[in-house]
Amino acid sequence: MVRKLSTILATAVVASAAFAVPAKAQDSVYVPLFTYRTGPFSGSGIPIANGMRDYLTMLNERDGGIGGAKLILEECETGYDTKKGVECYEAVKGKKPVMVNPWSTGITLPLIPRAAVDKIPILSMAYGLSASADGDTFPWIFNPPNTYWDGLSMIIKYIGEQEGGLDKLKGKKIGYIYLDAGFGREPLPLFDQLSRDLGFELKLYPVPADSMQNQSSQWLSVRRDRPDYMVMYGWGALNPTAVKEAAKINFPMEKFISIWWPGDDDLRSAGAGGKGFKTLNWHAVGTDFPALQDIQKLVVDKGLSQAQKNSVGEVLYNRGVYNSMLIAEGIRNAQKITGKTAVTGEDVRRGLETLDLNEARLKELGLEGFAGPIKLTCADHNGHRPAFMQQWDGEKWVKISEPIEPMADRVKPLLEAAAKDYAEKSTGWPKRTEPCDKQS
């Protein structure tokens, strides 16, 4: 009899524990982080991963999460490999993530068709498919605050300013060195169009992923071709190698301009030859912001971060912080819209479509002056915000320009055409479940 009673009690305990799990889940949201801390792209991936995770960890430590929901964070190592990235997605989608951050254009592209089916928003912040800025066509994909096409248009606009006007680019030669993958090939349609419209000659120098640290042939071609400017879309080991090779052939570093991905370590490893190199950026560097100071105090100083203390505030670390700010605000908006604490991916999609990070909200977040305001809508999943040019002074990044607006008149028609073309070529491409002008 005693043994039977013990069995009944044990069964009751197990049953009560089983019923306790959903109750706990109601007070949490699951946020997987696709990262790459190993391999030839880890030099770029590690600081991004640290900034991204540390901001969300800070919210857990300081606020208990977001709106009463604890953030459940889990990293999945992709090695910047598309196959592994898709495997990560398949591994996490059953856990009901509120959002997925692929952190690779190559991984983002095969996830785009999956997002609507699985009702999981994809945040490809300033990377991925530029056309996915069109929320009408891509209701589950978000790529704020700029597309790669916006970025290229800003670089060409900046080069035009250096020459005295866009009309002065006629007859010039612009070289393009890039990772020969989805990321590096993404801006090519716009680059080709701009070269025809503005009359400059475009020279291409693709770098295969397995040759990022051996670019001697590309830079021998650069020395032969003598372009007036060089533009780079690089990542991982490609970036410091390109800067070193450019210095070896005495290419004028102030005319070597990159999209927004080179980090502090990329330029440090290039040595003195990297001084003068330029990149686009849209947010501040440094830790002179209350939110960054809370990260330092509540996460880094407590040993809850993988980041080195002196890396907090560097450009790619802060890029990860910006990314997680978008994640957090999407979740917070979803809670406001639905009245729920434990929101779903479908809720967070609506939260992102109502994102309005104005100056007052940035101040509330402890990020006043960290970045410019950004507002997303049902139709615009990007914002197409301006960026500024920064230059490496041999030790740190220095802002050297006022905000540069994208060439909307040239970019928008191409983006709209590309979005339409993508949908038409994708059999059974799903339409929005609600029209933008009727969405609540």
Side-chain angles (χ1 to χ4, degrees), residues 281-433:
N281 194 6
W282 68 84
H283 60 76
V285 295
T287 58
D288 192 22
F289 306 93
L292 269 294
Q293 291 160 11
D294 283 346
I295 290 174
Q296 187 74 64
K297 178 175 64 176
L298 300 174
V299 182
V300 179
D301 291 349
K302 285 187 174 182
L304 301 177
S305 171
Q306 296 187 50
Q308 298 296 317
K309 189 171 183 177
N310 61 2
S311 70
V312 177
E314 292 186 346
V315 66
L316 291 185
Y317 183 94
N318 283 8
R319 191 71 46 78
V321 168
Y322 186 96
N323 186 91
S324 284
M325 175 186 69
L326 297 177
I327 296 173
E329 288 301 283
I331 293 170
R332 199 182 311 274
N333 280 354
Q335 291 172 332
K336 290 178 182 177
I337 291 168
T338 64
K340 298 189 298 187
T341 301
V343 290
T344 66
E346 195 162 10
D347 300 328
V348 172
R349 181 187 70 80
R350 293 179 65 200
L352 287 170
E353 288 193 332
T354 56
L355 187 78
D356 186 6
L357 278 167
N358 54 33
E359 291 180 359
R361 181 58 185 153
L362 287 166
K363 185 175 182 179
E364 290 174 356
L365 293 174
L367 292 168
E368 182 179 16
F370 180 75
I374 181 169
K375 181 180 177 68
L376 303 185
T377 68
C378 173
D380 179 11
H381 283 195
N382 183 270
H384 306 286
R385 299 299 300 152
F388 57 86
M389 199 64 67
Q390 64 183 18
Q391 187 170 35
W392 185 252
D393 72 356
E395 296 180 357
K396 63 184 182 304
W397 295 108
V398 178
K399 183 180 178 180
I400 62 167
S401 83
E402 293 301 312
I404 306 166
E405 294 283 348
M407 297 184 197
D409 58 330
R410 297 179 184 274
V411 174
K412 188 177 179 181
L414 288 177
L415 281 178
E416 291 175 346
K420 182 180 179 182
D421 184 63
Y422 184 102
E424 288 177 348
K425 289 181 178 177
S426 302
T427 304
W429 184 250
K431 294 182 179 180
R432 291 190 65 95
T433 55

Side-chain angles (χ1 to χ4, degrees), residues 150-170:
D150 293 322
L152 178 63
S153 78
M154 288 185 268
I155 290 173
I156 297 301
K157 192 173 183 178
Y158 176 80
I159 292 173
E161 290 172 357
Q162 305 311 295
E163 293 295 317
L166 287 173
D167 60 312
K168 305 296 184 184
L169 295 184
K170 187 174 183 179

